[in-house]
Amino acid sequence: MANSAQARKRARQATKARAHNGSLRSRLRTAIKAVRKAIVGGDKAAAQSVFRTSMSTIDSIADKNIIHKNKAARHKSRLSAAVKAMAV
């Protein structure tokens, strides 16, 4: 395992970073679920509002390299298409 002081510190840092990244990933999933729930609810205005707030969350998490920028773009594109496809 980690025998040197440097290796022990790096292990501590990795544990801390993993917890932080996990919470950010959870925030991402929650934002995506919120948009999907609003779409199922049927209110297009509410879905658009939730979609706009979720986009900033997705972008910020991609900027921090928690997820790849292309994965963020894919989520945004699919959610956007789903909101646009809703009946007025």
Side-chain angles (χ1 to χ4, degrees):
M1 180 93 187
N3 290 325
S4 67
Q6 182 180 6
R8 284 193 298 273
K9 179 178 180 181
R10 195 67 196 120
R12 283 195 311 271
Q13 289 175 327
T15 303
K16 204 172 198 179
R18 185 173 185 276
H20 184 253
N21 292 345
S23 71
L24 290 176
R25 199 176 310 258
S26 175
R27 242 177 61 204
L28 169 78
R29 291 185 188 123
T30 303
I32 292 169
K33 285 177 192 173
V35 176
R36 289 190 182 139
K37 186 176 180 183
I39 290 169
V40 170
D43 186 6
K44 189 166 187 173
Q48 287 173 333
S49 173
V50 174
F51 174 71
R52 275 192 293 277
T53 58
S54 295
M55 290 310 95
S56 65
T57 302
I58 292 171
D59 284 334
S60 73
I61 290 171
D63 288 342
K64 294 172 184 170
N65 289 323
I66 305 302
I67 61 169
H68 195 274
K69 62 186 174 86
N70 291 354
K71 181 175 181 173
R74 183 173 63 243
H75 280 301
K76 288 171 20 179
S77 174
R78 289 179 182 171
L79 290 173
S80 175
V83 170
K84 286 180 182 176
M86 290 178 69
V88 177

Short mmCIF file of all heavy atoms in Angstrom, two decimals, residues 12-71:
data_model
loop_
_atom_site.label_atom_id
_atom_site.label_comp_id
_atom_site.label_asym_id
_atom_site.label_seq_id
_atom_site.Cartn_x
_atom_site.Cartn_y
_atom_site.Cartn_z
N ARG A 12 -4.65 10.11 0.58
CA ARG A 12 -5.64 10.96 1.25
C ARG A 12 -6.30 11.90 0.25
O ARG A 12 -7.52 12.08 0.27
CB ARG A 12 -4.97 11.79 2.36
CG ARG A 12 -4.66 11.05 3.62
CD ARG A 12 -4.36 12.00 4.78
NE ARG A 12 -3.40 13.05 4.47
CZ ARG A 12 -2.07 12.95 4.60
NH1 ARG A 12 -1.53 11.82 5.02
NH2 ARG A 12 -1.29 13.97 4.32
N GLN A 13 -5.51 12.50 -0.61
CA GLN A 13 -6.04 13.44 -1.59
C GLN A 13 -6.99 12.74 -2.56
O GLN A 13 -8.03 13.29 -2.92
CB GLN A 13 -4.90 14.09 -2.38
CG GLN A 13 -4.10 15.09 -1.57
CD GLN A 13 -2.91 15.62 -2.35
OE1 GLN A 13 -2.33 14.91 -3.15
NE2 GLN A 13 -2.57 16.88 -2.09
N ALA A 14 -6.61 11.53 -2.96
CA ALA A 14 -7.45 10.78 -3.91
C ALA A 14 -8.80 10.45 -3.29
O ALA A 14 -9.83 10.53 -3.96
CB ALA A 14 -6.73 9.51 -4.34
N THR A 15 -8.80 10.09 -2.01
CA THR A 15 -10.05 9.77 -1.32
C THR A 15 -10.96 10.99 -1.26
O THR A 15 -12.16 10.91 -1.51
CB THR A 15 -9.76 9.27 0.10
OG1 THR A 15 -8.90 8.14 0.01
CG2 THR A 15 -11.02 8.89 0.83
N LYS A 16 -10.36 12.13 -0.93
CA LYS A 16 -11.12 13.38 -0.84
C LYS A 16 -11.67 13.78 -2.22
O LYS A 16 -12.84 14.17 -2.35
CB LYS A 16 -10.18 14.47 -0.32
CG LYS A 16 -10.86 15.63 0.34
CD LYS A 16 -9.79 16.51 0.96
CE LYS A 16 -10.35 17.43 2.00
NZ LYS A 16 -9.32 18.26 2.61
N ALA A 17 -10.84 13.67 -3.25
CA ALA A 17 -11.26 14.04 -4.60
C ALA A 17 -12.37 13.12 -5.09
O ALA A 17 -13.32 13.57 -5.75
CB ALA A 17 -10.07 14.00 -5.55
N ARG A 18 -12.26 11.84 -4.77
CA ARG A 18 -13.28 10.88 -5.20
C ARG A 18 -14.64 11.21 -4.60
O ARG A 18 -15.67 11.15 -5.27
CB ARG A 18 -12.85 9.47 -4.81
CG ARG A 18 -13.77 8.39 -5.33
CD ARG A 18 -13.19 7.00 -5.06
NE ARG A 18 -14.02 5.98 -5.64
CZ ARG A 18 -15.09 5.46 -5.06
NH1 ARG A 18 -15.48 5.88 -3.87
NH2 ARG A 18 -15.80 4.53 -5.68
N ALA A 19 -14.64 11.59 -3.33
CA ALA A 19 -15.90 11.97 -2.67
C ALA A 19 -16.48 13.23 -3.30
O ALA A 19 -17.69 13.32 -3.55
CB ALA A 19 -15.65 12.18 -1.18
N HIS A 20 -15.63 14.20 -3.57
CA HIS A 20 -16.08 15.46 -4.18
C HIS A 20 -16.63 15.22 -5.58
O HIS A 20 -17.70 15.72 -5.94
CB HIS A 20 -14.92 16.46 -4.22
CG HIS A 20 -15.32 17.79 -4.73
ND1 HIS A 20 -14.95 18.23 -5.97
CD2 HIS A 20 -16.07 18.78 -4.19
CE1 HIS A 20 -15.46 19.44 -6.17
NE2 HIS A 20 -16.13 19.79 -5.10
N ASN A 21 -15.89 14.44 -6.38
CA ASN A 21 -16.34 14.15 -7.74
C ASN A 21 -17.64 13.36 -7.74
O ASN A 21 -18.50 13.58 -8.60
CB ASN A 21 -15.26 13.37 -8.50
CG ASN A 21 -14.03 14.20 -8.76
OD1 ASN A 21 -14.05 15.43 -8.64
ND2 ASN A 21 -12.95 13.54 -9.12
N GLY A 22 -17.81 12.48 -6.78
CA GLY A 22 -19.04 11.71 -6.67
C GLY A 22 -20.23 12.59 -6.38
O GLY A 22 -21.32 12.39 -6.93
N SER A 23 -20.04 13.60 -5.54
CA SER A 23 -21.15 14.51 -5.23
C SER A 23 -21.51 15.35 -6.45
O SER A 23 -22.68 15.62 -6.70
CB SER A 23 -20.82 15.40 -4.03
OG SER A 23 -19.83 16.34 -4.38
N LEU A 24 -20.50 15.75 -7.22
CA LEU A 24 -20.78 16.52 -8.44
C LEU A 24 -21.52 15.66 -9.46
O LEU A 24 -22.45 16.11 -10.12
CB LEU A 24 -19.48 17.05 -9.05
CG LEU A 24 -18.79 18.16 -8.27
CD1 LEU A 24 -17.48 18.53 -8.93
CD2 LEU A 24 -19.68 19.38 -8.14
N ARG A 25 -21.10 14.41 -9.59
CA ARG A 25 -21.76 13.49 -10.53
C ARG A 25 -23.21 13.26 -10.11
O ARG A 25 -24.11 13.18 -10.95
CB ARG A 25 -20.99 12.17 -10.56
CG ARG A 25 -21.26 11.33 -11.77
CD ARG A 25 -20.38 10.10 -11.75
NE ARG A 25 -18.99 10.43 -11.51
CZ ARG A 25 -18.05 10.47 -12.46
NH1 ARG A 25 -18.38 10.20 -13.70
NH2 ARG A 25 -16.81 10.76 -12.18
N SER A 26 -23.45 13.20 -8.81
CA SER A 26 -24.81 13.04 -8.30
C SER A 26 -25.65 14.27 -8.64
O SER A 26 -26.82 14.15 -9.01
CB SER A 26 -24.76 12.83 -6.79
OG SER A 26 -26.06 12.78 -6.26
N ARG A 27 -25.05 15.47 -8.52
CA ARG A 27 -25.75 16.70 -8.90
C ARG A 27 -26.13 16.68 -10.37
O ARG A 27 -27.22 17.12 -10.74
CB ARG A 27 -24.85 17.91 -8.63
CG ARG A 27 -25.42 18.85 -7.61
CD ARG A 27 -24.51 20.00 -7.29
NE ARG A 27 -24.23 20.81 -8.46
CZ ARG A 27 -23.16 21.58 -8.59
NH1 ARG A 27 -22.27 21.62 -7.65
NH2 ARG A 27 -22.98 22.30 -9.66
N LEU A 28 -25.24 16.16 -11.20
CA LEU A 28 -25.51 16.05 -12.64
C LEU A 28 -26.71 15.14 -12.88
O LEU A 28 -27.63 15.50 -13.61
CB LEU A 28 -24.28 15.49 -13.36
CG LEU A 28 -24.50 15.06 -14.81
CD1 LEU A 28 -24.52 16.28 -15.71
CD2 LEU A 28 -23.43 14.10 -15.25
N ARG A 29 -26.70 13.98 -12.27
CA ARG A 29 -27.80 13.03 -12.47
C ARG A 29 -29.12 13.61 -11.98
O ARG A 29 -30.16 13.41 -12.61
CB ARG A 29 -27.49 11.72 -11.73
CG ARG A 29 -26.35 10.95 -12.34
CD ARG A 29 -26.18 9.61 -11.64
NE ARG A 29 -24.97 8.94 -12.09
CZ ARG A 29 -23.99 8.55 -11.29
NH1 ARG A 29 -24.08 8.72 -9.99
NH2 ARG A 29 -22.93 7.96 -11.78
N THR A 30 -29.09 14.32 -10.86
CA THR A 30 -30.29 14.93 -10.33
C THR A 30 -30.84 15.99 -11.28
O THR A 30 -32.05 16.08 -11.50
CB THR A 30 -30.00 15.56 -8.95
OG1 THR A 30 -29.48 14.55 -8.09
CG2 THR A 30 -31.25 16.17 -8.35
N ALA A 31 -29.95 16.78 -11.87
CA ALA A 31 -30.37 17.82 -12.82
C ALA A 31 -31.03 17.19 -14.04
O ALA A 31 -32.07 17.68 -14.52
CB ALA A 31 -29.17 18.67 -13.23
N ILE A 32 -30.46 16.10 -14.54
CA ILE A 32 -31.02 15.43 -15.71
C ILE A 32 -32.39 14.84 -15.38
O ILE A 32 -33.34 14.95 -16.15
CB ILE A 32 -30.05 14.35 -16.23
CG1 ILE A 32 -28.81 15.02 -16.81
CG2 ILE A 32 -30.72 13.45 -17.27
CD1 ILE A 32 -27.67 14.07 -17.12
N LYS A 33 -32.49 14.22 -14.19
CA LYS A 33 -33.77 13.64 -13.78
C LYS A 33 -34.84 14.71 -13.61
O LYS A 33 -36.01 14.48 -13.91
CB LYS A 33 -33.61 12.88 -12.46
CG LYS A 33 -32.92 11.55 -12.61
CD LYS A 33 -32.73 10.90 -11.24
CE LYS A 33 -31.79 9.72 -11.34
NZ LYS A 33 -31.46 9.18 -10.01
N ALA A 34 -34.45 15.90 -13.14
CA ALA A 34 -35.41 16.98 -12.95
C ALA A 34 -36.01 17.41 -14.28
O ALA A 34 -37.23 17.65 -14.38
CB ALA A 34 -34.74 18.17 -12.27
N VAL A 35 -35.19 17.47 -15.32
CA VAL A 35 -35.70 17.85 -16.64
C VAL A 35 -36.63 16.76 -17.16
O VAL A 35 -37.73 17.06 -17.67
CB VAL A 35 -34.55 18.09 -17.64
CG1 VAL A 35 -35.09 18.40 -19.02
CG2 VAL A 35 -33.66 19.23 -17.16
N ARG A 36 -36.22 15.51 -17.03
CA ARG A 36 -37.07 14.41 -17.51
C ARG A 36 -38.41 14.38 -16.78
O ARG A 36 -39.45 14.13 -17.38
CB ARG A 36 -36.35 13.08 -17.33
CG ARG A 36 -35.20 12.92 -18.29
CD ARG A 36 -34.65 11.52 -18.28
NE ARG A 36 -33.52 11.42 -19.20
CZ ARG A 36 -32.41 10.76 -18.94
NH1 ARG A 36 -32.26 10.13 -17.80
NH2 ARG A 36 -31.44 10.73 -19.82
N LYS A 37 -38.39 14.67 -15.48
CA LYS A 37 -39.63 14.69 -14.70
C LYS A 37 -40.52 15.82 -15.16
O LYS A 37 -41.74 15.66 -15.27
CB LYS A 37 -39.29 14.85 -13.21
CG LYS A 37 -40.48 14.74 -12.30
CD LYS A 37 -40.07 14.81 -10.85
CE LYS A 37 -41.26 14.70 -9.94
NZ LYS A 37 -40.90 14.83 -8.52
N ALA A 38 -39.93 16.99 -15.46
CA ALA A 38 -40.72 18.12 -15.94
C ALA A 38 -41.32 17.81 -17.30
O ALA A 38 -42.45 18.22 -17.59
CB ALA A 38 -39.84 19.36 -16.01
N ILE A 39 -40.60 17.08 -18.13
CA ILE A 39 -41.11 16.72 -19.46
C ILE A 39 -42.31 15.78 -19.32
O ILE A 39 -43.33 15.95 -19.98
CB ILE A 39 -40.00 16.07 -20.32
CG1 ILE A 39 -38.96 17.14 -20.70
CG2 ILE A 39 -40.57 15.42 -21.56
CD1 ILE A 39 -37.69 16.58 -21.31
N VAL A 40 -42.18 14.81 -18.43
CA VAL A 40 -43.29 13.88 -18.19
C VAL A 40 -44.49 14.61 -17.60
O VAL A 40 -45.64 14.27 -17.89
CB VAL A 40 -42.83 12.73 -17.26
CG1 VAL A 40 -44.01 11.89 -16.80
CG2 VAL A 40 -41.81 11.86 -17.96
N GLY A 41 -44.22 15.65 -16.81
CA GLY A 41 -45.30 16.44 -16.22
C GLY A 41 -46.16 17.12 -17.26
O GLY A 41 -47.34 17.40 -17.00
N GLY A 42 -45.60 17.44 -18.41
CA GLY A 42 -46.40 17.98 -19.49
C GLY A 42 -46.43 19.49 -19.61
O GLY A 42 -46.94 20.01 -20.59
N ASP A 43 -45.89 20.23 -18.66
CA ASP A 43 -45.89 21.69 -18.72
C ASP A 43 -44.62 22.15 -19.43
O ASP A 43 -43.53 22.07 -18.88
CB ASP A 43 -45.97 22.27 -17.30
CG ASP A 43 -46.10 23.78 -17.30
OD1 ASP A 43 -46.25 24.36 -18.40
OD2 ASP A 43 -46.08 24.37 -16.20
N LYS A 44 -44.79 22.65 -20.66
CA LYS A 44 -43.62 23.00 -21.47
C LYS A 44 -42.85 24.18 -20.88
O LYS A 44 -41.62 24.18 -20.89
CB LYS A 44 -44.05 23.32 -22.91
CG LYS A 44 -42.87 23.48 -23.84
CD LYS A 44 -43.27 23.46 -25.29
CE LYS A 44 -42.05 23.46 -26.18
NZ LYS A 44 -42.35 23.27 -27.57
N ALA A 45 -43.54 25.16 -20.35
CA ALA A 45 -42.87 26.33 -19.77
C ALA A 45 -42.01 25.92 -18.58
O ALA A 45 -40.87 26.37 -18.43
CB ALA A 45 -43.89 27.38 -19.37
N ALA A 46 -42.57 25.06 -17.73
CA ALA A 46 -41.82 24.59 -16.56
C ALA A 46 -40.63 23.75 -17.01
O ALA A 46 -39.53 23.87 -16.44
CB ALA A 46 -42.72 23.77 -15.64
N ALA A 47 -40.83 22.93 -18.02
CA ALA A 47 -39.75 22.08 -18.52
C ALA A 47 -38.62 22.94 -19.09
O ALA A 47 -37.44 22.65 -18.86
CB ALA A 47 -40.27 21.13 -19.58
N GLN A 48 -38.96 24.01 -19.80
CA GLN A 48 -37.94 24.90 -20.35
C GLN A 48 -37.16 25.60 -19.24
O GLN A 48 -35.96 25.78 -19.33
CB GLN A 48 -38.57 25.93 -21.28
CG GLN A 48 -39.02 25.34 -22.60
CD GLN A 48 -39.80 26.31 -23.44
OE1 GLN A 48 -40.45 27.22 -22.92
NE2 GLN A 48 -39.77 26.12 -24.75
N SER A 49 -37.87 25.98 -18.19
CA SER A 49 -37.22 26.65 -17.06
C SER A 49 -36.23 25.72 -16.37
O SER A 49 -35.08 26.10 -16.09
CB SER A 49 -38.28 27.12 -16.07
OG SER A 49 -37.70 27.62 -14.91
N VAL A 50 -36.66 24.50 -16.10
CA VAL A 50 -35.79 23.52 -15.45
C VAL A 50 -34.63 23.16 -16.38
O VAL A 50 -33.49 23.00 -15.93
CB VAL A 50 -36.59 22.25 -15.06
CG1 VAL A 50 -35.69 21.16 -14.54
CG2 VAL A 50 -37.65 22.60 -14.02
N PHE A 51 -34.91 23.10 -17.67
CA PHE A 51 -33.88 22.78 -18.66
C PHE A 51 -32.77 23.83 -18.63
O PHE A 51 -31.59 23.51 -18.65
CB PHE A 51 -34.51 22.70 -20.05
CG PHE A 51 -33.52 22.51 -21.16
CD1 PHE A 51 -32.86 21.32 -21.33
CD2 PHE A 51 -33.26 23.54 -22.05
CE1 PHE A 51 -31.95 21.14 -22.36
CE2 PHE A 51 -32.35 23.38 -23.07
CZ PHE A 51 -31.69 22.17 -23.24
N ARG A 52 -33.14 25.12 -18.57
CA ARG A 52 -32.14 26.19 -18.55
C ARG A 52 -31.25 26.10 -17.32
O ARG A 52 -30.03 26.26 -17.41
CB ARG A 52 -32.82 27.56 -18.60
CG ARG A 52 -33.14 28.01 -20.00
CD ARG A 52 -33.53 29.47 -20.03
NE ARG A 52 -34.80 29.74 -19.36
CZ ARG A 52 -35.99 29.59 -19.91
NH1 ARG A 52 -36.08 29.19 -21.16
NH2 ARG A 52 -37.08 29.84 -19.24
N THR A 53 -31.82 25.83 -16.16
CA THR A 53 -30.99 25.73 -14.95
C THR A 53 -30.10 24.48 -14.99
O THR A 53 -28.97 24.52 -14.53
CB THR A 53 -31.87 25.70 -13.68
OG1 THR A 53 -32.77 24.61 -13.75
CG2 THR A 53 -32.64 26.99 -13.52
N SER A 54 -30.62 23.41 -15.58
CA SER A 54 -29.83 22.17 -15.67
C SER A 54 -28.66 22.32 -16.63
O SER A 54 -27.62 21.69 -16.43
CB SER A 54 -30.72 21.02 -16.12
OG SER A 54 -31.69 20.75 -15.14
N MET A 55 -28.81 23.14 -17.65
CA MET A 55 -27.72 23.31 -18.62
C MET A 55 -26.48 23.90 -17.95
O MET A 55 -25.36 23.48 -18.23
CB MET A 55 -28.15 24.24 -19.77
CG MET A 55 -29.16 23.65 -20.69
SD MET A 55 -28.75 22.00 -21.30
CE MET A 55 -29.62 20.96 -20.16
N SER A 56 -26.67 24.86 -17.06
CA SER A 56 -25.51 25.45 -16.38
C SER A 56 -24.84 24.42 -15.48
O SER A 56 -23.60 24.39 -15.37
CB SER A 56 -25.91 26.70 -15.59
OG SER A 56 -26.78 26.36 -14.55
N THR A 57 -25.62 23.58 -14.84
CA THR A 57 -25.07 22.53 -14.00
C THR A 57 -24.25 21.54 -14.84
O THR A 57 -23.11 21.20 -14.48
CB THR A 57 -26.19 21.76 -13.26
OG1 THR A 57 -26.95 22.68 -12.49
CG2 THR A 57 -25.63 20.68 -12.38
N ILE A 58 -24.81 21.12 -15.95
CA ILE A 58 -24.11 20.17 -16.82
C ILE A 58 -22.82 20.79 -17.34
O ILE A 58 -21.76 20.14 -17.34
CB ILE A 58 -25.03 19.74 -17.98
CG1 ILE A 58 -26.19 18.90 -17.45
CG2 ILE A 58 -24.25 18.94 -19.03
CD1 ILE A 58 -27.26 18.58 -18.46
N ASP A 59 -22.88 22.05 -17.76
CA ASP A 59 -21.69 22.72 -18.29
C ASP A 59 -20.60 22.86 -17.23
O ASP A 59 -19.42 22.65 -17.51
CB ASP A 59 -22.03 24.10 -18.84
CG ASP A 59 -22.72 24.01 -20.20
OD1 ASP A 59 -22.49 23.02 -20.91
OD2 ASP A 59 -23.48 24.94 -20.54
N SER A 60 -20.99 23.23 -16.02
CA SER A 60 -19.98 23.43 -14.97
C SER A 60 -19.30 22.12 -14.61
O SER A 60 -18.08 22.09 -14.35
CB SER A 60 -20.61 24.07 -13.73
OG SER A 60 -21.41 23.15 -13.04
N ILE A 61 -20.04 21.03 -14.61
CA ILE A 61 -19.46 19.74 -14.29
C ILE A 61 -18.54 19.26 -15.42
O ILE A 61 -17.49 18.67 -15.16
CB ILE A 61 -20.57 18.72 -13.95
CG1 ILE A 61 -21.20 19.12 -12.61
CG2 ILE A 61 -20.05 17.30 -13.90
CD1 ILE A 61 -22.42 18.38 -12.22
N ALA A 62 -18.90 19.58 -16.66
CA ALA A 62 -18.02 19.24 -17.79
C ALA A 62 -16.76 20.09 -17.75
O ALA A 62 -15.66 19.60 -18.07
CB ALA A 62 -18.76 19.44 -19.10
N ASP A 63 -16.87 21.35 -17.35
CA ASP A 63 -15.70 22.23 -17.25
C ASP A 63 -14.70 21.72 -16.22
O ASP A 63 -13.50 21.95 -16.35
CB ASP A 63 -16.12 23.66 -16.89
CG ASP A 63 -16.81 24.37 -18.04
OD1 ASP A 63 -16.66 23.91 -19.19
OD2 ASP A 63 -17.51 25.37 -17.79
N LYS A 64 -15.20 21.04 -15.20
CA LYS A 64 -14.33 20.51 -14.14
C LYS A 64 -13.79 19.13 -14.49
O LYS A 64 -13.14 18.48 -13.66
CB LYS A 64 -15.09 20.45 -12.83
CG LYS A 64 -15.46 21.82 -12.31
CD LYS A 64 -16.39 21.76 -11.12
CE LYS A 64 -16.79 23.17 -10.74
NZ LYS A 64 -17.86 23.20 -9.76
N ASN A 65 -14.07 18.66 -15.71
CA ASN A 65 -13.61 17.36 -16.19
C ASN A 65 -14.14 16.19 -15.37
O ASN A 65 -13.49 15.16 -15.28
CB ASN A 65 -12.08 17.30 -16.28
CG ASN A 65 -11.54 18.15 -17.40
OD1 ASN A 65 -12.16 18.24 -18.46
ND2 ASN A 65 -10.42 18.79 -17.16
N ILE A 66 -15.30 16.35 -14.78
CA ILE A 66 -15.94 15.23 -14.09
C ILE A 66 -16.55 14.30 -15.14
O ILE A 66 -16.50 13.08 -15.01
CB ILE A 66 -17.03 15.73 -13.11
CG1 ILE A 66 -16.46 16.74 -12.13
CG2 ILE A 66 -17.67 14.57 -12.37
CD1 ILE A 66 -15.30 16.24 -11.30
N ILE A 67 -17.12 14.90 -16.19
CA ILE A 67 -17.57 14.14 -17.35
C ILE A 67 -16.93 14.79 -18.58
O ILE A 67 -16.53 15.95 -18.55
CB ILE A 67 -19.10 14.10 -17.50
CG1 ILE A 67 -19.67 15.50 -17.68
CG2 ILE A 67 -19.75 13.38 -16.35
CD1 ILE A 67 -21.12 15.53 -18.10
N HIS A 68 -16.85 14.05 -19.66
CA HIS A 68 -16.27 14.56 -20.89
C HIS A 68 -17.20 15.59 -21.52
O HIS A 68 -18.43 15.48 -21.38
CB HIS A 68 -16.03 13.39 -21.86
CG HIS A 68 -15.12 13.74 -22.99
ND1 HIS A 68 -15.59 14.32 -24.14
CD2 HIS A 68 -13.79 13.59 -23.14
CE1 HIS A 68 -14.57 14.51 -24.96
NE2 HIS A 68 -13.46 14.08 -24.38
N LYS A 69 -16.63 16.56 -22.20
CA LYS A 69 -17.44 17.62 -22.80
C LYS A 69 -18.41 17.08 -23.84
O LYS A 69 -19.53 17.59 -23.98
CB LYS A 69 -16.55 18.70 -23.42
CG LYS A 69 -15.66 18.23 -24.53
CD LYS A 69 -14.71 19.32 -24.99
CE LYS A 69 -13.73 18.79 -26.01
NZ LYS A 69 -14.21 18.82 -27.36
N ASN A 70 -18.03 16.01 -24.53
CA ASN A 70 -18.94 15.43 -25.52
C ASN A 70 -20.13 14.74 -24.85
O ASN A 70 -21.24 14.76 -25.37
CB ASN A 70 -18.20 14.42 -26.41
CG ASN A 70 -17.22 15.09 -27.33
OD1 ASN A 70 -17.14 16.32 -27.39
ND2 ASN A 70 -16.44 14.30 -28.04
N LYS A 71 -19.90 14.15 -23.68
CA LYS A 71 -21.01 13.53 -22.95
C LYS A 71 -21.98 14.61 -22.48
O LYS A 71 -23.19 14.43 -22.54
CB LYS A 71 -20.49 12.73 -21.75
CG LYS A 71 -21.59 12.05 -20.98
CD LYS A 71 -21.07 11.16 -19.88
CE LYS A 71 -22.23 10.49 -19.17
NZ LYS A 71 -21.79 9.49 -18.20
#
